[in-house]
Structure formats: structure tokens, C-alpha cells
Amino acid sequence: MAAVGRSSAAAATSLNSSALFRRSLPLPPSQLSFRRPRFSVNAACPLFSDNNNNNNNNSLSQNGVVNPKPSPLELLKTSAADRYTKEKSSIMCIGLNIHSAPVEMREKLAIPEAQWPLIIEELCALNHIEEAAVLSTCNRMEIYVVALSQHRGVKEVTDWMSKISGISVPELREHQVLLSNADATQHLFEVAAGLDSLVLGEGQILAQVKQVVKAGQGVPGFDRKISGLFKQAISVGKRVRTETNISSGSVSVSSAAVELAQMKLQDASLADAEVLVVGAGKMGKLVIKHLASKGCRRMVVVNRTADKVNAIQQELKDVEIVFRPISEMLACATEADVIFTSTASESPLFSKENVQRLPLVSHGRRRIFVDISIPRNVEPGVSDLETALVFNVDDLKEVVAANKEDRIQKAAEAREIILDELNKFEAWKDSLETVPTIKKFRAYVERIRASEMEKCLSKMGQDVSKEQKEAIYALSMGIVNKVLHGPMQHLRCDGNNDNSLSEVLENMRALNRMYDLETEISLMEEKIKVKIGRVKK
């Protein structure tokens, strides 16, 4: 967290340097040639100053020798090499959830599932974001990223969140969930396991995590680390539910909404009430099923199309489910005592003005609205009316509290599983550091093999047959493979214990030193190439 609190001046310097970097490119990314920097630059370097009357690109050293003045590209590469090799890429979680921010704030950041791929690409266009994923539900809007720099990545994502939501950066920071590396990984695992949900053990969130992977398939920026993180989270969620039964008997957001409506009806019951359900998606379907389990044998369902409603009718044949198109919603509301809303509409369906026009509910009761949509389907001002009671997802806590105690033990068991899976994921993630070294070392040995084979063939003259060339090639490859076998074995990590991982990383560093493979520098250069390519597109 300390990294996040660094001065904004440092971030501004980085962003300005990135702008210089982009403007100075004379060639497309595919034609760029990167060299290892041979000099260092500090913040006071006069090369950054524009107040120089000499327009020549050269500068004089102390002994009067003319030295070529480095370009902005070289300056950035030098500072980036130092910055990115000392501060390695981090997995970050940045966002808002039901525990940190009220629904009024969360709904401004809600992102429809159809837009997730576009958001991933948009986030990865930021200067310090390599990979990204979006998890947006009724309880949370969290961005997961692989950031080249922690504090710069956080600043860029926070600024982006402020821009799309209209919420000021200080207000976002006040309510923001901000986690890095193992903490971010553990958080996502707890989310997938249902431990961070409003309803402990709630199962629907696992399906939503699966949807993140489905939406990210083939999207530039949903790459190895982020996709690996979410796939591991899915495995964690499945394992927790299998080994702890934490979901058995637990309530979901939809069932909690039905329970809350039953509580607010007081002397009446849902079985006798006129019920309207607006929306027949995943949440709406669950609402309908829970209403049926409470004895509600007739309800009106408003939806854009009849397909989903017909499918639900086939499942619940003993319940009268009446379909009405969205155009008849207000007409249906005039006859309803209880209205549940769960649609993806980005603007309210029920305004204060049109609810005020509805006739009074029979028996002098107030009409109940239970809104489990994000953004909300019922305008906040409706709660000011004496004829209406309005509840949203944040109001479900009183129902959930009563069902929480009996799952505390199961949650403790789930956390042991999560810790085990966290260690495995961190080992896998750390072992990825050896991949560039393996590739570089193989390429290094292959260059030697090819060069020596070419020398050998040139000495043998023109009378070498195809079979002899193939035999020499096979011999050289056999030697190379046997020589590489030992080092490759010692660069692979199974992730079963910390000692083996530390040994693998030490072996990686030793090979880098012995053969001057420059893995960290070249890896940084590859990252810069990717960022250049995204900017130029």
C-alpha cells in the first residue's frame, strides 16, 4: 500500500516520459532494435531540458569530446530498464464492493458483461497495464490487472474509474479495495469460494467468475497471468464447495430478497400477495423459484421476450407464471403488492413520478419494491413516497445475518483450502520467471551449435551427401539436448514447496550471470514493444 501513496509527481514524470517515448518512434514496433542501455539518467539530467539554445543533438563531455545526445526513446528505455527490473510486474485488485462502498457508488461503475472485452483492451492501452480482467456483479466491480509498476498502475486505473463513473478520485480512494500480489490472489479465491459475498457461501458468484474467463477468451490483454489467476480461482471455488459443503442450505441474493419481502409483509404472506417480477435473467429466475418455494402459486413476470419465461414455466408447471412484455410493466404494477426487479437496464424503470401515480395497495399497506439490480431499477426518490417501501441489495444484510452463524465453521475450513491453493498459484506465478531464461539459454546454445556445424560442413567441402549432413545435424542436436537436460531440469518448478522454488530461481539467476543472458532487460524490452504496439494501433 505504501507504493500507492507516493507523490503524484513521480507518476506524472513517468507518463510524460511515456508520451515522449511514443512521439519519438521513427519505425513501427516490428522494426525496432533494442540494445542494452550503457548509461544511467537521473531526474536532474539536463537532457530533459528544452531551455537549450543549441539545437544540435550532440553534447560536449568535460574533455571537449562530442558525444551523441540520447533520444527520448533511449532515455525512457534506460529509466524503464532500471524501474521495471527493480519493481517487477504485480497482480493488482482495484475496485469497489458491497463491504467497502454503498450501492449509490457501485452502480456508477457497473459494467455490463457484453462490454468486458472492450474494457480489457481499454485498460491494457494504459501505459503501465499489461493484462486485465473485469468482475462486475450486483455486489462488486473489481478490476484485476498485471501492472508494470504498482503505484503507476493504481493511479492509471483509478483515474480511468473516475473518468467513466464521474466519481472524484479522492472519493474513490476513500471506498476503494486495493490489493496486490498474494493479497489480491487470496481475495479473488475467497470471492470465488463465496467467502466475500453478502451471503456467505453463495454459489452464483462462481458462475460469474467463470463468465470472466469465457468473456476474456481471445481478448488481447487477457493473457497468461490473469487467465491463470481466474482459472485457478474457479478450481478453488469448486474445491471449497465439494470439500466443505459451504453452499448447502445457504441463501443466495435472490432468496434473501424473497425472505426480506416476506418479513416486510408482516401479517400477510407471499402466497396471498399479488407479485410482479421484472426481469427473467439468472437473478430473476432464482427469485421466481424462491417465490414458488414460499408458496406463491401465481405471479406476473415482465420481460423483453417470452422465451426465458416460457422456459421457467416448463420447470415450474405447478405455478401460474403470466408473461407480460416490458411495455405493460406499469400496467402490471398497478395490481401488484410486491415488485421484484432484476434487469440489466442502465436507467431506472420505476421513477418517483410514475410510482406516485399507481393506485394504493389493498388493505392500506405500502407497495413493496425489492430491487436487486445494479444499476438500480427503482429510482432512489421512490423511497420518499408514503405509499412505497423500497429495498436494494444493501438492505439484505439483516436477512443474511440470521443465516450466517451456522456456516462460520465451514468458512474456516474453506480458508485452509484457499491457503493451500494460494501457495500453489504463487509458486506457479514465480516459476514463470524462469521461462524467458529457458528460451534465452536454448537460443544461446542453438546459436553455438548452428555456427559450429556450419564451420564443420565448410571444412568438409562440397562432397558431403544429404545423409551425412543429416547425421551431423542429428549428432549436434543430440549433444545439445544432453547438455541442456540438466540445466532445464533445474529450471523447472513443480510448486510443491518453497525450497524447490527458491532453488529454481537461484539457478535462473546463476545462468543469467554465467552466460550474460540479460533476461530481465530483454523481458522489459518485450513489454515495451507490446505497449508501443498497442499505442500505435
Side-chain angles (χ1 to χ4, degrees):
M1 298 300 174
V4 178
R6 296 176 190 169
S7 70
S8 59
T13 300
S14 170
L15 294 176
N16 290 337
S17 298
S18 298
L20 285 171
F21 186 16
R22 293 193 296 271
R23 287 197 297 270
S24 65
L25 292 178
L27 296 171
S30 61
Q31 299 178 34
L32 285 174
S33 174
F34 289 88
R35 299 184 185 88
R36 188 174 187 174
R38 297 179 181 175
F39 49 85
S40 61
V41 178
N42 56 49
C45 179
L47 297 176
F48 282 109
S49 174
D50 290 330
N51 301 323
N52 191 340
N53 293 327
N54 183 5
N55 293 326
N56 196 314
N57 285 332
N58 300 327
S59 61
L60 290 177
S61 65
Q62 290 181 350
N63 59 9
V65 177
V66 177
N67 295 323
K69 181 177 179 180
S71 69
L73 170 60
E74 290 173 318
L75 293 175
L76 180 67
K77 282 167 54 183
T78 306
S79 62
D82 179 65
R83 181 169 72 246
Y84 293 152
T85 54
K86 289 183 178 178
E87 184 179 0
K88 296 186 182 300
S89 296
S90 301
I91 291 177
M92 307 289 297
C93 171
I94 308 163
L96 307 175
N97 63 38
I98 197 167
H99 308 298
S100 71
V103 65
E104 293 83 4
M105 183 177 290
R106 298 198 312 273
E107 68 183 357
K108 293 178 182 177
L109 272 166
I111 300 174
E113 187 179 308
Q115 294 180 19
W116 292 358
L118 293 175
I119 295 301
I120 291 172
E121 294 188 41
E122 192 171 325
L123 287 166
C124 290
L126 301 175
N127 286 344
H128 294 86
I129 303 302
E130 287 184 278
E131 303 180 31
V134 181
L135 179 59
S136 183
T137 73
C138 61
N139 286 338
R140 69 189 68 249
M141 202 297 282
E142 293 173 347
I143 301 292
Y144 291 82
V145 299
V146 174
L148 294 172
S149 163
Q150 279 195 21
H151 71 282
R152 290 177 178 86
V154 169
K155 181 183 185 304
E156 288 173 0
V157 174
T158 303
D159 289 346
W160 174 85
M161 291 170 68
S162 176
K163 180 181 177 181
I164 69 165
S165 67
I167 304 171
S168 68
V169 169
E171 189 177 4
L172 275 174
R173 286 177 176 162
E174 183 181 348
H175 297 275
Q176 199 173 53
V177 173
L178 188 56
L179 301 166
S180 64
N181 294 321
D183 291 335
T185 300
Q186 181 173 342
H187 174 71
L188 180 59
F189 288 179
E190 290 179 352
V191 168
L195 301 190
D196 194 66
S197 298
L198 173 65
V199 181
L200 187 63
E202 181 241 333
Q204 191 175 3
I205 184 62
L206 181 56
Q208 292 162 332
V209 172
K210 290 179 181 177
Q211 204 58 35
V212 173
V213 175
K214 184 178 179 182
Q217 293 300 316
V219 178
F222 191 78
D223 296 328
R224 189 170 188 178
K225 283 186 181 178
I226 285 292
S227 66
L229 172 65
F230 273 82
K231 287 174 182 176
Q232 187 80 7
I234 293 169
S235 298
V236 171
K238 289 178 179 177
R239 186 180 165 192
V240 165
R241 284 165 175 78
T242 300
E243 297 182 23
T244 69
N245 294 320
I246 194 169
S247 295
S248 61
S250 68
V251 295
S252 64
V253 169
S254 300
S255 66
V258 173
E259 290 281 354
L260 180 64
Q262 180 64 73
M263 289 168 54
K264 300 306 177 182
L265 279 171
Q266 296 177 345
D267 56 337
S269 76
L270 287 168
D272 303 320
E274 295 292 333
V275 176
L276 170 64
V277 179
V278 182
K282 294 175 183 177
M283 299 285 279
K285 181 178 179 179
L286 289 172
V287 167
I288 293 167
K289 287 187 172 182
H290 288 298
L291 284 169
S293 71
K294 291 293 182 182
C296 184
R297 287 293 168 265
R298 185 186 184 280
M299 63 193 81
V300 177
V301 179
V302 168
N303 200 51
R304 285 183 301 171
T305 61
D307 295 348
K308 291 182 179 179
V309 180
N310 292 337
I312 297 171
Q313 288 172 334
Q314 293 302 311
E315 288 188 49
L316 304 174
K317 294 184 178 180
D318 57 340
V319 179
E320 184 184 355
I321 300 175
V322 181
F323 166 73
R324 290 287 183 268
I326 197 76
S327 58
E328 297 181 20
M329 182 187 71
L330 290 178
C332 296
T334 62
E335 302 174 6
D337 303 321
V338 182
I339 301 174
F340 295 89
T341 62
S342 59
T343 80
S345 173
E346 297 185 16
S347 57
L349 300 178
F350 290 95
S351 65
K352 181 177 181 180
E353 183 181 1
N354 58 37
V355 171
Q356 196 167 19
R357 294 172 181 170
L358 297 177
L360 298 176
V361 174
S362 59
H363 309 297
R365 292 196 300 264
R366 299 167 77 178
R367 183 174 279 104
I368 296 172
F369 290 86
V370 184
D371 184 5
I372 54 175
S373 306
I374 300 290
R376 287 173 291 178
N377 289 168
V378 181
E379 198 174 71
V382 174
S383 59
D384 298 332
L385 300 175
E386 294 183 0
T387 57
L389 283 173
V390 181
F391 304 97
N392 58 54
V393 287
D394 287 3
D395 298 312
L396 302 179
K397 294 176 182 177
E398 62 176 294
V399 177
V400 172
N403 298 284
K404 191 172 182 178
E405 291 302 321
D406 63 342
R407 291 192 298 282
I408 295 297
Q409 181 58 41
K410 293 175 183 176
E413 296 171 9
R415 286 192 172 89
E416 290 183 11
I417 293 172
I418 287 171
L419 182 59
D420 179 44
E421 295 288 339
L422 175 63
N423 290 334
K424 290 179 181 177
F425 179 80
E426 289 297 308
W428 172 80
K429 180 165 65 74
D430 288 340
S431 72
L432 293 180
E433 291 186 34
T434 68
V435 174
T437 298
I438 290 173
K439 290 181 178 179
K440 285 280 182 180
F441 189 47
R442 275 193 172 278
Y444 174 85
V445 175
E446 170 58 24
R447 285 195 298 271
I448 295 174
R449 184 205 65 78
S451 174
E452 293 303 313
M453 180 176 169
E454 186 177 345
K455 288 179 185 177
C456 174
L457 291 174
S458 65
K459 290 178 181 179
M460 295 176 69
Q462 301 295 323
D463 298 329
V464 182
S465 67
K466 179 181 178 183
E467 290 75 14
Q468 288 173 321
K469 288 182 179 180
E470 289 177 351
I472 295 171
Y473 174 79
L475 173 66
S476 66
M477 288 301 299
I479 294 172
V480 164
N481 288 335
K482 283 182 171 58
V483 169
L484 286 176
H485 178 73
M488 294 301 102
Q489 287 297 106
H490 287 84
L491 284 179
R492 291 191 173 90
C493 177
D494 58 12
N496 287 331
N497 59 74
D498 291 337
N499 291 332
S500 65
L501 175 60
S502 62
E503 289 171 6
V504 165
L505 296 179
E506 181 54 40
N507 291 336
M508 178 194 76
R509 287 187 280 269
L511 275 177
N512 274 309
R513 290 194 300 271
M514 286 188 289
Y515 295 96
D516 195 25
L517 300 178
E518 303 180 4
T519 303
E520 290 184 339
I521 299 294
S522 57
L523 185 60
M524 177 276 298
E525 290 174 347
E526 288 301 318
K527 291 175 180 178
I528 291 178
K529 282 184 181 180
V530 171
K531 297 307 296 182
I532 297 169
R534 285 175 180 157
V535 168
K536 289 186 77 67
K537 287 178 183 177

